[in-house]
């Protein structure tokens, strides 16, 4: 079990297509386990070398290509780490619309802006799933 398995939220709540920009990014340093426990970072990697923050504007909307399909998320943490084999992994800390944290590789996401219709649809669908079925008046 990893430190992410039972984390219900990153910053105390989810977001919708209009308020995602309020998410606080973790930038300027590599995250530690203490940062993750304090819920100011999504992940901390200890088994890598040469870690460094990735210079990218955060928070950043993305579409994550997960095994089950497309998932809307917002990147709040971005780090590059070298494995023992010398490969560079570009790792992202994500906040999902329901407020949960997730970790993905940069190669598994598409950077978008908040006007992207697919991202907006995925966020709206995810929020609908959290509040029950479609709400009708």
């Amino acid at each position: 079990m990893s430190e992410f398995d039972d984390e219900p939220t990153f910053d105390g709540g989810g977001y919708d297509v209009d308020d995602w920009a309020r998410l606080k990014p973790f930038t300027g340093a590599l995250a530690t386990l203490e940062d993750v426990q304090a819920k100011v970072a999504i992940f901390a990697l200890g088994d890598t070398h040469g870690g460094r923050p990735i210079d990218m504007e955060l928070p950043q909307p993305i579409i994550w290509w997960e095994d089950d399909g497309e998932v809307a998320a917002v990147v709040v943490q971005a780090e590059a780490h070298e494995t023992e084999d010398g490969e560079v992994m570009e790792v992202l800390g994500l906040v999902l619309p329901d407020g949960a944290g997730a970790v993905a590789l940069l190669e598994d996401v598409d950077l978008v802006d908040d006007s992207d219709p697919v991202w907006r649809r995925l966020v709206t669908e995810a929020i609908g799933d959290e509040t029950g079925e479609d709400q009708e008046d």
Side-chain angles (χ1 to χ4, degrees):
M1 183 177 267
S2 79
E3 64 263 27
F4 312 113
D5 290 342
D6 293 320
E7 293 294 324
T9 64
F10 176 68
D11 76 339
Y15 55 87
D16 62 30
V17 296
D18 297 318
D19 75 347
W20 65 271
R22 72 172 166 70
L23 297 174
K24 296 195 179 355
F26 185 89
T27 59
L30 295 179
T32 65
L33 183 56
E34 291 79 19
D35 295 323
V36 174
Q37 291 170 338
K39 296 186 179 182
V40 296
I42 299 289
F43 68 90
L45 298 180
D47 297 340
T48 62
H49 309 282
R52 62 193 178 281
I54 296 173
D55 183 23
M56 79 187 282
E57 193 169 321
L58 298 177
Q60 167 67 53
I62 56 100
I63 297 173
W64 177 23
W65 296 93
E66 196 185 31
D67 292 339
D68 296 333
E70 301 172 316
V71 176
V74 174
V75 179
V76 294
Q77 179 183 356
E79 298 179 7
H81 292 264
E82 291 179 30
T83 66
E84 288 184 9
D85 300 332
E87 292 183 43
V88 175
M89 295 185 312
E90 294 176 312
V91 186
L92 305 176
L94 311 177
V95 177
L96 304 178
D98 66 1
V103 178
L105 296 176
L106 181 59
E107 66 193 44
D108 294 331
V109 306
D110 290 334
L111 303 178
V112 297
D113 67 35
D114 64 356
S115 67
D116 183 273
V118 174
W119 183 83
R120 293 179 74 83
R121 176 181 53 80
L122 291 169
V123 169
T124 302
E125 288 174 358
I127 294 170
D129 290 343
E130 287 300 306
T131 58
E133 297 291 324
D134 293 329
Q135 297 179 0
E136 295 181 22
D137 294 290

